[in-house]
Amino acid sequence: MPTIIKEETSGGKKLPSHTKVVVIGGGVVGCSILFHLAKFGWKDVVLLERDELTSGSSWHAAGQIHTISSDPNISRLQGYTIDLYKEIEETSGQSVGLHMTGGFYLASNKTWYDYLKRERSKARYMGLHQEFISPAEVAERHPLIDPKHYYAALWDDQDGDLDPSGATYAFAKSAKVHGAQYFTHTPVTATTQRADGSWDVTTPKGIINAEHIVNCGGLWAREVGHMQGINIPVQPMEHHYLLTETIPEIAARTERLPCGIDYEANIYFRQERDGMLLGTYEPKGTPWKVEGTPWDFGHELLQPKLDNIADRLELAFDRIPALANAGIKDAINGPFTFGPDGNPMIGPVPGMKNYWCAVGVMAGFCQGGGVGLTMAEWMIDGEPSIDVWAMDVARFGDWATPDWGTVKSTENYERRFVMTFPNETLPKGRLQKTTALYDRLVAKGARMGQGFGLENALWFADSPEDAHEEPTFERNRSHDYVAREVKAVREAVGGIEIANFAKHEFKGSGARAYLDRTLAGFVPKAGRLTLTPMLTKKGKLYGDLTVACLAEDHFMLFGSGAMQEAHRRWFEKDLPTDVSYANVSDDWHGIALSGPKSRELLQRITRDDVSAEAFKFRDMRQTYVGGVPVILNRISFSGELGYEIYCRPQYLIKLAEAIEVAGSDLGYCWYGARALMSMRLEKGWGAWTLDFRPDFNAVESGLDAFINWNKDFVGKEATAAFRDLGASRKLVTITIDVQGIDVSNDEAILCDGKAVGYVSSGGFAHHIGKSMAMGYISADYATAGTKLQVEILGEFYDAEVKGAPTYDANGANMRA
Ligand SMILES: Cc1cc2nc3c(=O)[nH]c(=O)nc-3n(C[C@H](O)[C@H](O)[C@H](O)COP(=O)(O)OP(=O)(O)OC[C@H]3O[C@@H](n4cnc5c(N)ncnc54)[C@H](O)[C@@H]3O)c2cc1C
């Protein structure tokens, strides 16, 4: 059985009446946040725990720790978490029971081997200690494993296991050493916000007034959220692992066995005393307490359902034959909380003041330290030191309903060790949000994807029956269809739906001054558009926005759809009283027209004069197109002559019909996101969340070209310092000499075998007929013409840094 530590932790102290932060929940995540806040200088912080510490999922975790994650920054934070255990053990005097055995990820088929090669490539530029070992070496390090099942394994020194209760208490006790307090048997029953933005946190022992509260409710994250009307789309899932009796081969050893994950068999395992621990993610997950976690659930386990994991056990016995003969000492079935995409949800909750959450942390012992670090930086410094978009609670909006959360979290649980390919669109929770064009585009052969809950076309096949593609790392059947779309846009005219772009509306007498301070670039005059970066105080990128001035006191900003709630949170934080703001993304849908014949098409469906002289590049106006009221922007992300036409959702079909009819003899076709991403690569334009993100500053990314240095703006001082220092790494565009496969992202870029950077995005540039990538590399290698290599699935391909855009270098087509 997992160990439970029990001790009276409040030491008879009375609850304070006021504190800077109340952390709700004493699992590993809450305790880590408390520790980091206190260590970084916020001593007046209090954690309240309903029962004993570790009374949620933390006490019965399997305690396996590793660095591998789909997101490189989460991997980094997992590495930080693992390194931290020694420190908290020393600070607290509480053993965390750490065994740094090292561990491996076993590939029993070529696909998983390919996957691990991608991971190895990431590790190469991140400086992580991962190396491939042969099946024979696997058997040498872990003699219970039958090596015949495997191609290879990726070995990681930083893997191991620990005692989950010990680790949680070590965080809490270290927090106390640094000056924090925690109170057990102190359930929070209500959270009420005062007019000054502070919180009254009610418990049976009294009320604490706190400047900030942090929901670390774990299994009760949803219930703690409900106290404030917040929906948190997580779902506790039942999860099994087995503990065996003594296995003689293990008892006879002097050295502890390494831990491991076998993806295809869907098992993880490690040594536990003289036996083994074996866990698996059931192929059919069982959501636990969909209607809500009972408050009286404590240190309890659920009835094991071994039938649910029988198939996986068969595979495990095959691959680790000693298990077949080992007696089962305990079968653990415990619930823990999953999020819709498997990553934590942390940070300030959009729309709330001083309400933070750190929930849905599915691998708390791998990630808890990193989550604590990030939260403390965010609360104390105003921003985390690295980009944590993959964990940001703002990556979900109100569309992430409780039902959707349960469906997607269950899917994610079931796919924990199931491959997701770069071109794969997951099937569950689809059609959550659609536009009026959905049926029309699907009928035309659209293969749909989903972003921020909204369905959008990826590419167009010949018919609905034809709109399928195999999940793969390699180029697939969509390649030729995307090529067709690119050709139509580059030679004639195409249209893409742009409902998925974010739209932010600002009104009021103070709007211009506010935007001038908030954005680093120029704020346009009425009827014009500008492109501008938005920066944090520390000079990190926080937005890459198009600004439209509709009137002197009325602006619309267009940006990343995925970032819309994060940007809302940003804008609402310090909004002056003379500015009104709204995220109006769902109020404006639309279509972007691109291509040399787009003007001709547009002119046929508007009475305005849209000639080159009358409607110039970066002009905008509110007018009528296709008989409906629109915002018309002369701009395009494809790098062609183009227009973005935004209309209210109820006019979208009418607009689409007008475009289709008027474009029928001009070669008009619909195109999807893949074609757009291909065309922007040829222009060397970065995309938000990939090439542009808060890991980088304006100088590194090249977005400093859009800065207006003759004004004050947020992040100016830091950015000027970056400029004066000169960037040590630069965003570059490269062509790659490769057939049949392209980068997806996160591949290592090398020079003479040494990693000099990584790929932030890429794919096939259909018009110029080359595989391309964008990536950040050491500035020493960023000169045009520099020869490099890119690692794709373990092979090294020649690459060359490009200077000017590979298509329409001087922008003549776009400005025509
Ligand atoms: C069977 C199993 C195996 C696992 N194996 C691993 C593993 O090998 N490696 C790994 O990294 N992770 C593993 N995990 C996952 C890990 O346990 C979780 O990620 C981690 O426990 C999450 O911690 P938490 O602090 O977010 O939540 P929890 O542990 O659920 O803690 C939440 C705490 O908040 C308290 N609380 C809730 N509401 C209130 C309130 N209103 N007032 C006061 N207190 C409140 C609860 O009592 C609880 O103590 C496993 C989990 C299970 C179930």
Side-chain angles (χ1 to χ4, degrees), residues 699-701 727-734 749-751 756-757 775-788 800-804:
V699 183
E700 292 166 331
S701 62
S728 59
R729 58 184 174 184
K730 287 293 252 179
L731 178 63
V732 293
T733 304
I734 53 183
I749 303 175
L750 306 99
C751 187
V756 296
Y776 283 86
I777 61 174
S778 166
D780 300 342
Y781 302 90
T783 319
T786 305
K787 307 285 184 211
L788 300 168
E800 185 182 314
V801 177
K802 302 316 268 186

Side-chain angles (χ1 to χ4, degrees), residues 124 260 361 583:
R124 211 186 287 285
V361 185
N583 173 5

Side-chain angles (χ1 to χ4, degrees), residues 229-268:
I230 295 169
N231 163 50
I232 297 188
V234 295
Q235 176 59 55
M237 300 293 301
E238 294 193 16
H239 179 64
H240 288 88
Y241 64 81
L242 304 180
L243 296 166
T244 73
E245 303 281 6
T246 293
I247 296 177
E249 294 93 321
I250 299 180
R253 286 174 60 89
T254 50
E255 223 180 302
R256 198 173 170 89
L257 288 167
C259 53
I261 292 175
D262 176 334
Y263 290 107
E264 199 194 24
N266 204 316
I267 52 170
Y268 63 90

Side-chain angles (χ1 to χ4, degrees), residues 24-31 48-65 186-189 216-221 224 227 237 239-241 268 281 295 297 332-337 358-367:
I24 304 171
V28 64
V29 172
C31 292
L48 302 179
E49 165 55 45
R50 189 182 61 92
D51 193 330
E52 302 283 349
L53 298 183
T54 76
S55 289
S57 52
S58 293
W59 73 280
H60 55 248
Q64 206 150 318
I65 48 176
T186 313
V188 171
T189 53
C216 297
L219 289 177
W220 294 265
V224 175
M227 290 176 191
M237 300 293 301
H239 179 64
H240 288 88
Y241 64 81
Y268 63 90
Y281 292 87
W295 285 113
F297 185 77
I332 306 294
N333 179 9
F336 69 128
T337 313
V359 299
V361 185
M362 168 271 283
F365 295 93
C366 306
Q367 299 175 335

Side-chain angles (χ1 to χ4, degrees), residues 745-766:
N745 47 4
D746 295 330
E747 290 86 353
I749 303 175
L750 306 99
C751 187
D752 298 330
K754 185 181 116 195
V756 296
Y758 84 102
V759 168
S760 46
S761 71
F764 194 75
H766 286 273

Side-chain angles (χ1 to χ4, degrees), residues 87 268 395 452 510 586 648 665 667 785:
E87 176 185 327
Y268 63 90
R395 70 190 188 282
F452 207 69
D586 286 342
R648 299 287 185 184
D665 63 336

